[in-house]
Amino acid sequence: MAESNKRVVLAYSGGLDTSCILSWLKENGYDVIVYVANIGQEEDFDALEDKALKIGAKKVIIEDLRRIFVTSYVWPAIACGLRYEGRYLLGTSIARPCISEGLIRTAKAEKASLVAHGATGKGNDQVRFDLSCYSLCPEIEILALWRKREFYTRFSGRTDLLEYAHKNGIPVSATPKEPWSTDANLLHISYESGILENPAIPAPIELCKMTTNLENCPNEPEEIEIAFTKGYPSSVQNLDNCYVIDNPLEIIEYLNEIGGKHGIGRIDIVENRYIGLKSRGIYEAPGSKILYEAHQDLEIYVLDREVLRIKSYLAEKMSDYVYNGFWFSPECDFVRESIERSQKYVTGMVRLKLCKGSG
Amino acid sequence: MAESNKRVVLAYSGGLDTSCILSWLKENGYDVIVYVANIGQEEDFDALEDKALKIGAKKVIIEDLRRIFVTSYVWPAIACGLRYEGRYLLGTSIARPCISEGLIRTAKAEKASLVAHGATGKGNDQVRFDLSCYSLCPEIEILALWRKREFYTRFSGRTDLLEYAHKNGIPVSATPKEPWSTDANLLHISYESGILENPAIPAPIELCKMTTNLENCPNEPEEIEIAFTKGYPSSVQNLDNCYVIDNPLEIIEYLNEIGGKHGIGRIDIVENRYIGLKSRGIYEAPGSKILYEAHQDLEIYVLDREVLRIKSYLAEKMSDYVYNGFWFSPECDFVRESIERSQKYVTGMVRLKLCKGSG
Amino acid sequence: MAESNKRVVLAYSGGLDTSCILSWLKENGYDVIVYVANIGQEEDFDALEDKALKIGAKKVIIEDLRRIFVTSYVWPAIACGLRYEGRYLLGTSIARPCISEGLIRTAKAEKASLVAHGATGKGNDQVRFDLSCYSLCPEIEILALWRKREFYTRFSGRTDLLEYAHKNGIPVSATPKEPWSTDANLLHISYESGILENPAIPAPIELCKMTTNLENCPNEPEEIEIAFTKGYPSSVQNLDNCYVIDNPLEIIEYLNEIGGKHGIGRIDIVENRYIGLKSRGIYEAPGSKILYEAHQDLEIYVLDREVLRIKSYLAEKMSDYVYNGFWFSPECDFVRESIERSQKYVTGMVRLKLCKGSG
Amino acid sequence: MAESNKRVVLAYSGGLDTSCILSWLKENGYDVIVYVANIGQEEDFDALEDKALKIGAKKVIIEDLRRIFVTSYVWPAIACGLRYEGRYLLGTSIARPCISEGLIRTAKAEKASLVAHGATGKGNDQVRFDLSCYSLCPEIEILALWRKREFYTRFSGRTDLLEYAHKNGIPVSATPKEPWSTDANLLHISYESGILENPAIPAPIELCKMTTNLENCPNEPEEIEIAFTKGYPSSVQNLDNCYVIDNPLEIIEYLNEIGGKHGIGRIDIVENRYIGLKSRGIYEAPGSKILYEAHQDLEIYVLDREVLRIKSYLAEKMSDYVYNGFWFSPECDFVRESIERSQKYVTGMVRLKLCKGSG
């Protein structure tokens, strides 16, 4: 492999997997540029940078994608009414193309011909990263480490990774890993795998972080009014204190906060993954739940019945495309532009009373 | 008109409209057989009989359709996953064909060539009665009084009806009419029209009868387990006290009770009526909400993804047919039989924790 | 009725029905402005004008809508791939909104508050005229004579019309009426009703006018090349003689001629009418058949498979809307704009060998 | 590998590819049972047996699947109205599961744990064989030789195969291979690949074998009447000579003959393959074209419009499933049973006049 081909941009989370990948890539002669996308997850980004440099990153790039995530991914998802299998609001699915866009932009800027990620084959994320990156840059080479023989035969499980981390001075979190995996961003926290895989086991009560348990929610409802312009959220007003927000990022943050306080947006479902598996997932998505419902209330009031039927059909198609990783695809573009055409008149205000899980 | 043609079976509710209709029909030379379907609404059926006879009914037939309603209408609706525009569980829509079946059966037994009803033109019920009756008995003649010139020019509004009632000794409820209209049966209570028509006006707090307001719901959740056999509910167990029910009528009654206690199944929506109007409706449907969700949880676990997609498409079509009054139609039969074919393996148990509006 | 309300624009064909209507309207005190749309039918328009004036028209307006028909109705229908129930190319269905647009434009220019037409209730055209006119001008009043009691009780059949024509000096064609009805324009000739209603009776051999019977078609094929730009036909070249046409009206006329010569575009089908009837129709549509197929060939080569699936779904919906008279409707606009979005890359050339009915 | 695992049933066509595969398998220690399915292709089956035995087959099994192919695959395809992308009648697609069924039945009878086939990765057939065999027998092992590294690195093209054939005494047809590939059975002959890949090149005139060129078709039409029972063809009558056939295999053979004589059922299209490629194919399918159209004519006459809409939607889905190899799948079973439910009343007779490509 030519020297130039050994320059790789790694999508880095700071966790055990991507830390070992970083170290292993360096060990195998790659120049690793670490890329961290801030899409609203709770994280100490300075600590992350230090850690990556210590492990051997040539350079660490931390990008705040929160605004672009909201305006280019979350708002379209709301306007299009995306919901997978009638329930899941696609919080992770729409984050992957956003991160991929950052990865590819960075690879181009850094003249790297490779990008790497640590997504496993079991879920949908490997597919989402691969399809997004190839769509944005067909000549990119993708190192999906968990699909690479040299890597997955070297690390057959968590024990191997821990041992390798220990040997290579990779700091490992002292707290033992929770018996499930998590993905968090501005829009939601998801919980899956491990003990959660059996749907007969109820979600552990301590699991949820964004939403109050219903028994602890305030008895007093709060009323808010959400304004939409052509299907896009444009402002939120708290009708009790007249507080108004009209900045996209703050809108979603505020709705997460107030929705979470009232226990809104928690779901516990089984979903059909792209490769055919059934998977149990628990999601907390207070802000996007509120926006989804408010948008639906407005839309049904504004759209002609037949337009609504067609739009719903297209929204289901688009939800499948997005879930399966086809955000950047001719079919997704086509369907998205068609749906957005239907939003021409979806402008107006919706009032909601938030109380004990109900919006 | 021949004498034999003056024999009419009237779908009777005991309210002002159908009481005036009864009196007016008699006045116009009809022999009126009053038909009252018990589909689970709160009602003093003996008082109803007395009232009808007093007004001039030749005969009063009160039929308990509750069991047939549950097994032939509600269970199929659950197995087919019917939900109109993603939200309304069709509690009134599936009652109309059930009542029509009773009406037509009675007309045949009583050798009447006419049936009459008091549904107004504004809603969907006129269409539902007419289509159902004609499908079941193409040679029946239907007196939709509110479409009959002699009738609607005689009674231009509530005042005319009250005056007529007064003059003809028709007892009128002392309590003033609520400023909305209501339809109730085993499955739900619906509230619409009047002051509710403006969606900007929140639902009056005193309105709901089947479901506890969220702030008054118990803090303690209750757990239940629902069993389905080929998509049909077959039993419910309360996991806290091990109480088991396996009788269809009792299942829905029990779920209404326990679901209502925990504030489940209240919705406040705008829907698209058959004739194109937008209509605001508030519904309480605790039992059917629980069953809908439990069935969905089981189904997604059992059905292959592609089967689920097709089934969902068919369910949306069937929901439209049923909402629009086409329960007895070739397309509804076709779609229903197709969907039920998909339920071959939808057999299993679902656990739910009921708490503060969430099932 | 106020004097101003007696000014009516009549869609006039020159046939027995609309001639009697014209006379009857005048007799009943209306000022009748006769409107004749030239959409490519074979007609002596001067003779038509004379006839209308003689019967009593206040004014006769003959508009050449051929160009607007091609560019605003036919080309979109081709680009959208419209075909009703997989077979009928909608030649009459798309002409009705075009004529309605002319009618309404004329009514506005002539300050008439009424338009009149002679479409019967049996077919779809009454619905198409009414919906189109009301959409374009909600305040217009439509005189659908065959729905007007005074008119249809006066004329119970063809004999009444003939007698009335005779009495009122309305010239009637000497040749006896063919035992079917016909509609012709640039795009096609349709034959239906009368003896054709029974699908067991084969189409009379002398019926067809635009297309050569297969046994008489030339043995020598001709090759043409059709260019499309974003789904719209932009030119046709005859590859044998290099003759090129790039004017929309001439394109369709040329394709009718050459297609007709080679026996292309004749179909004999049963279709489902809006009101539920089954109807047998025979159609000759050489030019639109060639364009439909050429467009399909190009499209499948250009569009991504999933885009094609969605586009096909939308095209079927739009075909139903157009057939049922909803050309001017929110759903048709929505679907049309969506489909046209899919045509962004449908630019290219298609070669066809025309021979004995096959294009 | 255990001895028992070296017993393989090979789907054998007698061509260069599968002959080399047979020889190579033997060379590599396999006991090869050769399986030849007679699904109506032109073939000297005795010669095929000799050839296979000479190359080294342990045993040769030739099965006449023609009747089972017609009744279990072709008739359902006709009743379901299957047509891929609106044009291709799936002649090869429905043959693959039929052959797979024979292969698996033979593997079980012969106690072989392996089946082998020579389908290449470029087309859909590899997928169709694999999915069908795995569905019918999940524990089967499939040797898709063109996916096996040892094989495809050994034979990089036709030259390698010819050389190997020569060296191993495998008889090779003296006539040079046509510059395209072909698949033939009872239903159709398909032509694709090679020089046909470029859609700008017209189909060579000498290519077609089942259908007369239009210029050579008889001028005299022939009339036939086809009877259907619940959507299945039940008899054909030639109305000119009153010849009647009611045996399924003979029906399709007769329609191929008479349809071919009149030049019916030739198409030249581009289609979207499962893996996303565009592929040009030329097909001759006289009998299935006639049956498809006759069935459609009857169905539209019998089915309620809405039933037809739903049925068409399902038929398009099923066509995709079948084309993509999912004949044996839960979704295909579901959709097929649903569609067949719609055929309850599709019983009746259809008359067709066959003439110069038109049926």
Side-chain angles (χ1 to χ4, degrees):
Chain A
M1 199 187 284
E3 201 52 16
S4 68
N5 279 335
K6 302 290 273 183
R7 202 167 164 78
V8 60
V9 179
L10 169 66
Y12 185 65
S13 73
L16 179 63
D17 284 39
T18 50
S19 294
C20 288
I21 286 172
L22 164 52
S23 175
W24 185 90
L25 284 171
K26 192 178 138 66
E27 192 181 309
N28 283 268
Y30 290 90
D31 281 350
V32 187
I33 294 145
V34 153
Y35 179 78
V36 179
N38 173 3
I39 47 168
Q41 71 275 39
E42 286 285 318
E43 194 66 65
D44 178 342
F45 290 103
D46 290 339
L48 217 65
E49 183 168 7
D50 288 351
K51 186 172 180 180
L53 290 171
K54 206 174 297 170
I55 298 174
K58 194 111 191 176
K59 188 172 177 178
V60 176
I61 294 166
I62 295 171
E63 256 195 315
D64 184 350
L65 300 179
R66 291 177 304 157
R67 274 163 196 82
I68 215 174
F69 181 46
V70 176
T71 54
S72 301
Y73 295 85
V74 181
W75 275 195
I78 292 299
C80 291
L82 302 190
R83 209 169 55 165
Y84 184 66
E85 295 187 337
R87 303 196 284 190
Y88 166 43
L89 291 166
L90 296 166
T92 295
S93 315
I94 62 173
R96 295 320 184 202
C98 178
I99 298 171
S100 299
E101 221 181 4
L103 257 183
I104 291 297
R105 196 173 44 238
T106 305
K108 285 179 176 171
E110 299 291 332
K111 301 195 191 316
S113 61
L114 293 123
V115 296
H117 64 73
T120 65
K122 204 184 131 199
N124 300 293
D125 285 332
Q126 215 180 74
V127 178
R128 289 174 190 150
F129 275 122
D130 289 9
L131 289 177
S132 294
C133 290
Y134 282 136
S135 294
L136 291 168
C137 180
E139 63 278 12
I140 201 76
E141 204 181 315
I142 300 172
L143 290 178
L145 276 307
W146 286 116
R147 216 166 51 214
K148 224 177 147 62
R149 192 184 299 256
E150 307 94 286
F151 189 82
Y152 70 69
T153 51
R154 168 73 185 79
F155 301 101
S156 70
R158 192 167 158 78
T159 317
D160 288 344
L161 289 168
L162 283 170
E163 202 180 295
Y164 178 83
H166 188 72
K167 224 178 343 191
N168 288 271
I170 299 170
V172 175
S173 158
T175 54
K177 194 178 148 22
E178 288 166 325
W180 53 72
S181 77
T182 270
D183 180 62
N185 62 43
L186 259 187
L187 264 199
H188 81 164
I189 306 179
S190 72
Y191 310 87
E192 57 176 40
S193 310
I195 60 161
L196 301 182
E197 269 176 9
N198 183 352
I201 294 175
I205 212 129
E206 71 283 10
L207 175 142
C208 288
K209 292 169 192 156
M210 288 177 95
T211 52
T212 313
N213 288 331
L214 290 180
E215 47 272 36
N216 303 325
C217 288
N219 259 322
E220 284 306 291
E222 277 177 283
E223 269 194 282
I224 59 171
E225 186 174 82
I226 305 179
F228 290 89
T229 306
K230 297 190 179 185
Y232 278 53
S234 46
S235 74
V236 174
Q237 183 176 12
N238 184 317
L239 296 177
D240 298 330
N241 58 22
C242 295
Y243 182 55
V244 176
I245 304 163
D246 57 9
N247 168 295
L249 177 55
E250 287 170 29
I251 288 175
I252 188 77
E253 286 175 339
Y254 178 69
L255 291 176
N256 278 336
E257 185 200 314
I258 192 170
K261 172 177 159 195
H262 290 286
I264 291 166
R266 206 187 278 184
I267 54 170
D268 180 349
I269 59 173
V270 168
E271 72 203 42
N272 284 296
R273 285 206 178 145
Y274 187 29
I275 57 169
L277 287 178
K278 305 280 182 191
S279 167
R280 193 260 195 107
I282 296 160
Y283 299 94
E284 298 182 274
S288 56
K289 180 77 188 312
I290 291 172
L291 287 171
Y292 179 89
E293 306 245 316
H295 179 266
Q296 187 183 25
D297 279 335
L298 180 60
E299 194 177 62
I300 210 165
Y301 203 60
V302 169
L303 294 189
D304 184 89
R305 179 180 53 197
E306 288 309 306
V307 174
L308 187 73
R309 294 290 180 278
I310 302 288
K311 188 255 154 184
S312 299
Y313 178 84
L314 297 176
E316 278 169 38
K317 287 288 175 190
M318 185 170 165
S319 300
D320 279 4
Y321 299 151
V322 170
Y323 185 82
N324 290 334
F326 290 81
W327 180 276
F328 300 111
S329 68
E331 56 265 36
C332 197
D333 284 353
F334 173 40
V335 167
R336 178 182 161 180
E337 289 178 33
S338 296
I339 298 178
E340 293 198 339
R341 155 67 183 75
S342 77
Q343 301 294 302
K344 218 171 356 185
Y345 306 113
V346 183
T347 294
M349 245 101 79
V350 181
R351 284 190 187 185
L352 299 108
K353 207 172 77 173
L354 311 179
C355 183
K356 293 182 192 290
S358 160
Chain B
M1 197 187 287
E3 200 53 16
S4 67
N5 279 335
K6 303 289 274 183
R7 204 169 162 76
V8 60
V9 179
L10 168 68
Y12 185 63
S13 73
L16 179 63
D17 285 38
T18 51
S19 293
C20 288
I21 287 172
L22 166 51
S23 176
W24 185 91
L25 285 171
K26 192 178 138 63
E27 193 181 309
N28 283 271
Y30 290 91
D31 280 351
V32 187
I33 293 144
V34 153
Y35 179 78
V36 180
N38 173 3
I39 48 168
Q41 70 274 40
E42 285 285 319
E43 195 65 67
D44 179 342
F45 291 102
D46 289 339
L48 218 64
E49 183 169 6
D50 287 351
K51 186 173 181 180
L53 290 171
K54 205 174 299 169
I55 298 174
K58 194 110 192 176
K59 187 172 179 179
V60 176
I61 293 166
I62 295 172
E63 256 196 315
D64 184 351
L65 300 178
R66 291 177 304 158
R67 274 163 195 83
I68 216 174
F69 181 46
V70 175
T71 54
S72 300
Y73 295 85
V74 181
W75 274 196
I78 292 299
C80 291
L82 300 191
R83 210 169 54 165
Y84 184 65
E85 295 189 335
R87 303 197 284 192
Y88 166 43
L89 291 165
L90 296 166
T92 296
S93 316
I94 61 173
R96 295 320 185 202
C98 178
I99 297 170
S100 299
E101 222 180 5
L103 258 183
I104 292 297
R105 196 174 43 238
T106 304
K108 285 180 175 170
E110 300 291 331
K111 300 198 191 314
S113 60
L114 294 122
V115 296
H117 62 74
T120 66
K122 204 182 131 199
N124 300 292
D125 285 332
Q126 213 179 74
V127 178
R128 289 174 191 148
F129 274 122
D130 287 10
L131 290 176
S132 293
C133 289
Y134 282 136
S135 296
L136 291 167
C137 180
E139 63 278 12
I140 201 78
E141 203 181 317
I142 300 172
L143 290 178
L145 277 306
W146 286 116
R147 218 165 50 214
K148 226 177 146 60
R149 193 183 299 256
E150 307 94 285
F151 189 83
Y152 70 71
T153 51
R154 167 76 184 78
F155 300 101
S156 70
R158 192 168 159 78
T159 317
D160 288 345
L161 290 168
L162 283 170
E163 202 181 294
Y164 179 84
H166 188 71
K167 227 182 335 196
N168 290 272
I170 300 170
V172 175
S173 159
T175 55
K177 195 178 145 29
E178 287 166 327
W180 52 73
S181 76
T182 269
D183 180 62
N185 61 42
L186 257 188
L187 264 199
H188 82 162
I189 305 180
S190 72
Y191 311 87
E192 57 176 38
S193 309
I195 61 162
L196 301 182
E197 268 177 8
N198 183 352
I201 293 175
I205 213 129
E206 71 282 10
L207 176 142
C208 289
K209 292 170 191 155
M210 287 177 95
T211 52
T212 313
N213 288 330
L214 290 179
E215 47 272 37
N216 303 325
C217 287
N219 259 322
E220 284 306 291
E222 278 177 282
E223 269 194 281
I224 59 171
E225 187 173 83
I226 304 179
F228 291 88
T229 305
K230 297 191 178 183
Y232 277 53
S234 45
S235 73
V236 174
Q237 182 175 13
N238 184 316
L239 296 177
D240 297 329
N241 59 22
C242 294
Y243 182 55
V244 176
I245 304 163
D246 57 9
N247 169 295
L249 176 56
E250 287 170 29
I251 287 175
I252 188 76
E253 286 175 339
Y254 178 69
L255 291 175
N256 278 336
E257 183 201 315
I258 193 170
K261 172 178 159 194
H262 290 286
I264 291 166
R266 206 186 280 184
I267 55 170
D268 181 350
I269 60 173
V270 168
E271 72 203 42
N272 285 295
R273 285 206 180 144
Y274 188 27
I275 57 167
L277 288 178
K278 305 281 180 191
S279 166
R280 192 257 197 109
I282 296 161
Y283 299 94
E284 298 183 272
S288 57
K289 179 75 189 314
I290 291 172
L291 287 171
Y292 179 88
E293 305 246 316
H295 179 266
Q296 186 183 26
D297 279 336
L298 179 60
E299 195 178 62
I300 210 166
Y301 202 61
V302 169
L303 293 190
D304 185 87
R305 180 180 52 198
E306 289 309 306
V307 174
L308 187 72
R309 293 291 180 279
I310 302 288
K311 189 254 155 185
S312 298
Y313 178 84
L314 297 176
E316 278 169 37
K317 287 287 174 192
M318 186 170 164
S319 299
D320 279 3
Y321 299 151
V322 170
Y323 184 81
N324 290 332
F326 292 80
W327 179 277
F328 300 111
S329 68
E331 56 264 37
C332 197
D333 284 354
F334 172 39
V335 166
R336 176 179 162 182
E337 288 177 33
S338 295
I339 298 178
E340 293 198 339
R341 156 66 183 75
S342 77
Q343 302 294 303
K344 216 168 8 181
Y345 306 114
V346 182
T347 294
M349 246 101 80
V350 181
R351 286 190 185 186
L352 298 108
K353 208 172 76 174
L354 311 178
C355 183
K356 292 180 191 290
S358 158
Chain C
M1 197 186 285
E3 200 54 14
S4 67
N5 279 334
K6 302 290 274 182
R7 203 169 162 77
V8 60
V9 179
L10 169 67
Y12 185 64
S13 73
L16 179 63
D17 285 38
T18 50
S19 293
C20 289
I21 286 172
L22 165 51
S23 177
W24 185 90
L25 283 172
K26 192 177 137 66
E27 193 181 309
N28 283 270
Y30 289 90
D31 281 350
V32 187
I33 294 144
V34 153
Y35 179 78
V36 179
N38 173 1
I39 48 168
Q41 70 275 40
E42 285 285 318
E43 194 66 67
D44 178 342
F45 291 102
D46 289 338
L48 217 64
E49 183 169 6
D50 288 350
K51 186 173 182 181
L53 289 171
K54 205 173 301 169
I55 299 174
K58 194 109 192 176
K59 187 172 178 179
V60 176
I61 293 166
I62 295 171
E63 256 195 316
D64 184 351
L65 299 180
R66 290 176 305 156
R67 275 163 194 83
I68 216 174
F69 182 45
V70 176
T71 54
S72 300
Y73 294 86
V74 181
W75 274 195
I78 293 299
C80 292
L82 301 191
R83 210 169 53 165
Y84 184 65
E85 295 188 337
R87 304 196 284 190
Y88 166 42
L89 291 166
L90 296 166
T92 295
S93 316
I94 62 173
R96 295 319 185 203
C98 178
I99 298 171
S100 299
E101 221 181 3
L103 257 184
I104 292 296
R105 196 174 43 238
T106 304
K108 285 180 176 170
E110 300 291 332
K111 300 199 191 314
S113 60
L114 293 123
V115 296
H117 63 74
T120 65
K122 204 184 132 197
N124 301 291
D125 286 332
Q126 214 180 73
V127 178
R128 288 174 192 149
F129 274 122
D130 288 10
L131 289 177
S132 293
C133 290
Y134 283 137
S135 295
L136 291 167
C137 180
E139 63 278 12
I140 200 77
E141 202 180 318
I142 300 172
L143 290 178
L145 277 306
W146 287 116
R147 219 165 49 215
K148 226 177 146 60
R149 193 183 299 255
E150 307 94 286
F151 189 84
Y152 71 70
T153 51
R154 167 75 184 78
F155 300 101
S156 70
R158 191 168 159 78
T159 317
D160 288 344
L161 290 168
L162 283 169
E163 201 181 293
Y164 178 84
H166 187 71
K167 227 181 336 194
N168 289 273
I170 300 171
V172 175
S173 158
T175 54
K177 196 177 144 28
E178 288 166 327
W180 52 73
S181 76
T182 268
D183 179 62
N185 61 43
L186 258 188
L187 264 198
H188 82 161
I189 306 180
S190 71
Y191 311 86
E192 57 176 38
S193 308
I195 62 163
L196 301 182
E197 267 176 9
N198 183 352
I201 294 175
I205 212 130
E206 71 283 9
L207 175 141
C208 288
K209 293 170 191 154
M210 289 177 93
T211 53
T212 314
N213 287 330
L214 290 180
E215 46 272 36
N216 302 325
C217 289
N219 259 323
E220 283 306 291
E222 278 177 281
E223 269 194 282
I224 59 171
E225 185 173 83
I226 305 179
F228 290 89
T229 306
K230 297 192 180 184
Y232 277 54
S234 44
S235 74
V236 174
Q237 183 176 12
N238 183 316
L239 295 177
D240 297 329
N241 59 22
C242 294
Y243 182 55
V244 175
I245 305 163
D246 57 9
N247 168 295
L249 177 55
E250 287 170 29
I251 288 175
I252 188 76
E253 285 175 339
Y254 178 69
L255 292 175
N256 278 336
E257 183 200 316
I258 194 170
K261 173 177 159 194
H262 291 285
I264 290 166
R266 205 186 280 182
I267 54 171
D268 180 349
I269 59 173
V270 168
E271 72 203 43
N272 285 295
R273 286 208 180 144
Y274 188 27
I275 57 168
L277 287 177
K278 305 281 182 191
S279 166
R280 193 257 197 111
I282 296 160
Y283 299 94
E284 297 183 273
S288 57
K289 179 76 190 310
I290 291 172
L291 287 171
Y292 179 88
E293 305 246 316
H295 179 266
Q296 186 183 26
D297 279 337
L298 179 60
E299 194 178 64
I300 210 166
Y301 203 59
V302 169
L303 293 190
D304 185 89
R305 179 179 53 197
E306 289 308 307
V307 174
L308 187 72
R309 293 290 181 278
I310 302 288
K311 189 255 155 185
S312 300
Y313 178 84
L314 296 176
E316 279 169 36
K317 287 288 174 190
M318 185 170 165
S319 300
D320 280 3
Y321 299 152
V322 170
Y323 185 82
N324 290 332
F326 291 81
W327 180 277
F328 300 112
S329 69
E331 56 265 36
C332 197
D333 285 353
F334 172 41
V335 167
R336 178 180 161 181
E337 290 178 32
S338 295
I339 298 179
E340 293 198 340
R341 156 66 182 78
S342 77
Q343 301 295 302
K344 215 167 9 181
Y345 306 114
V346 182
T347 294
M349 245 101 80
V350 181
R351 285 189 186 188
L352 299 108
K353 209 172 74 175
L354 311 179
C355 183
K356 293 180 191 288
S358 158
Chain D
M1 200 186 283
E3 200 53 16
S4 66
N5 280 335
K6 302 290 273 182
R7 202 168 164 80
V8 59
V9 179
L10 170 66
Y12 185 65
S13 73
L16 179 63
D17 284 38
T18 50
S19 293
C20 288
I21 286 172
L22 164 52
S23 176
W24 186 89
L25 284 171
K26 191 179 137 67
E27 193 182 308
N28 283 269
Y30 289 91
D31 281 351
V32 187
I33 294 144
V34 153
Y35 178 78
V36 180
N38 173 3
I39 48 168
Q41 71 276 39
E42 286 285 318
E43 194 66 66
D44 179 342
F45 291 102
D46 290 339
L48 217 65
E49 181 167 9
D50 287 351
K51 186 173 179 180
L53 289 170
K54 205 174 298 168
I55 299 173
K58 195 110 192 176
K59 187 172 179 179
V60 176
I61 294 165
I62 295 171
E63 255 194 315
D64 184 352
L65 300 179
R66 291 176 304 157
R67 275 163 193 82
I68 215 174
F69 181 46
V70 176
T71 53
S72 302
Y73 295 85
V74 181
W75 274 194
I78 292 299
C80 291
L82 301 191
R83 208 168 56 165
Y84 184 65
E85 295 187 337
R87 303 196 284 192
Y88 166 43
L89 291 166
L90 296 166
T92 295
S93 315
I94 62 173
R96 295 320 184 202
C98 178
I99 299 172
S100 299
E101 220 180 4
L103 258 184
I104 292 297
R105 195 174 45 239
T106 306
K108 285 179 177 172
E110 299 291 331
K111 301 196 190 317
S113 61
L114 293 123
V115 296
H117 63 74
T120 66
K122 203 183 131 200
N124 300 293
D125 285 333
Q126 214 179 73
V127 178
R128 289 173 191 149
F129 275 123
D130 288 10
L131 289 177
S132 294
C133 289
Y134 282 136
S135 294
L136 292 167
C137 180
E139 62 279 12
I140 201 76
E141 203 180 317
I142 300 172
L143 289 177
L145 276 309
W146 287 117
R147 218 164 51 213
K148 225 179 145 61
R149 192 183 299 256
E150 308 93 285
F151 190 82
Y152 71 69
T153 52
R154 169 74 184 77
F155 300 101
S156 69
R158 191 166 158 79
T159 319
D160 288 345
L161 289 168
L162 282 170
E163 201 181 295
Y164 179 84
H166 187 72
K167 225 179 341 193
N168 290 270
I170 300 170
V172 175
S173 158
T175 54
K177 195 178 148 21
E178 288 166 325
W180 53 71
S181 76
T182 269
D183 180 63
N185 62 43
L186 259 188
L187 264 200
H188 82 162
I189 306 180
S190 71
Y191 310 87
E192 58 176 38
S193 309
I195 61 161
L196 301 181
E197 268 176 10
N198 183 351
I201 294 175
I205 213 129
E206 72 282 9
L207 175 142
C208 288
K209 292 170 192 155
M210 289 176 94
T211 53
T212 314
N213 288 331
L214 290 180
E215 47 272 36
N216 303 325
C217 287
N219 260 322
E220 284 306 292
E222 277 177 282
E223 271 194 280
I224 59 170
E225 186 173 84
I226 305 179
F228 291 89
T229 307
K230 297 192 179 183
Y232 278 53
S234 46
S235 74
V236 174
Q237 184 176 12
N238 184 316
L239 295 176
D240 297 329
N241 59 23
C242 295
Y243 182 55
V244 175
I245 305 162
D246 58 8
N247 168 294
L249 177 56
E250 286 169 29
I251 288 175
I252 188 77
E253 287 175 339
Y254 178 69
L255 291 176
N256 279 336
E257 185 200 314
I258 192 169
K261 173 177 159 195
H262 290 286
I264 291 166
R266 205 186 279 184
I267 54 169
D268 181 349
I269 59 171
V270 168
E271 71 203 43
N272 285 295
R273 285 207 178 143
Y274 187 28
I275 58 169
L277 287 177
K278 304 280 181 192
S279 166
R280 193 260 196 108
I282 295 160
Y283 300 94
E284 297 183 274
S288 56
K289 180 75 188 315
I290 291 172
L291 287 171
Y292 179 87
E293 305 245 317
H295 179 265
Q296 188 183 23
D297 279 336
L298 179 59
E299 195 178 63
I300 210 166
Y301 203 60
V302 169
L303 293 190
D304 184 88
R305 180 179 53 198
E306 289 308 306
V307 174
L308 187 72
R309 294 289 180 279
I310 301 287
K311 189 255 155 184
S312 298
Y313 179 84
L314 297 176
E316 279 170 37
K317 287 288 174 190
M318 185 170 164
S319 299
D320 279 3
Y321 299 151
V322 170
Y323 184 82
N324 290 333
F326 291 80
W327 180 276
F328 300 111
S329 68
E331 56 265 37
C332 198
D333 285 354
F334 172 40
V335 167
R336 177 181 162 181
E337 289 178 33
S338 296
I339 298 178
E340 294 198 339
R341 156 67 183 74
S342 76
Q343 301 294 302
K344 218 172 355 186
Y345 306 112
V346 183
T347 294
M349 245 101 79
V350 180
R351 283 189 188 187
L352 299 109
K353 207 172 76 173
L354 311 179
C355 183
K356 293 182 192 288
S358 160

